[in-house]
Amino acid sequence: MKCYVCEQLGIDREATGICIVCGMGLCTEHMIRADVSVWEGGYPFPAKKLKKPIPRILCPECHHALNGDE
């Protein structure tokens, strides 16, 4: 699998990870390790936030979306 971001830039680089949100293949240059808050609960409620965030691999787009960056 190739890094999707690199492919868009015309670079041929192997993916070494996958974004946990969208499934995009990523090289080490483009993957972002971030602590993501996790919620648990039944349908439709109650839901509660877990005490500690879980480290996840994200692509730049999903990282910006989860953090509210423009």
Side-chain angles (χ1 to χ4, degrees):
M1 182 186 300
K2 302 292 183 184
C3 174
Y4 182 80
V5 179
C6 286
E7 282 290 315
Q8 297 299 306
L9 299 172
I11 302 168
D12 183 28
R13 190 175 290 150
E14 293 294 320
T16 55
I18 297 173
C19 175
I20 193 69
V21 178
C22 70
M24 182 185 297
L26 300 163
C27 67
T28 53
E29 182 179 331
H30 291 112
M31 66 174 63
I32 300 169
R33 183 194 174 278
D35 291 337
V36 177
S37 297
V38 176
W39 292 76
E40 69 176 2
Y43 176 80
F45 291 104
K48 66 178 182 176
K49 190 175 182 179
L50 296 180
K51 293 180 182 179
K52 293 185 177 183
I54 297 176
R56 301 289 186 167
I57 300 298
L58 301 169
C59 69
E61 287 184 46
C62 291
H63 181 259
H64 293 310
L66 286 172
N67 289 318
D69 298 342
E70 296 278 327

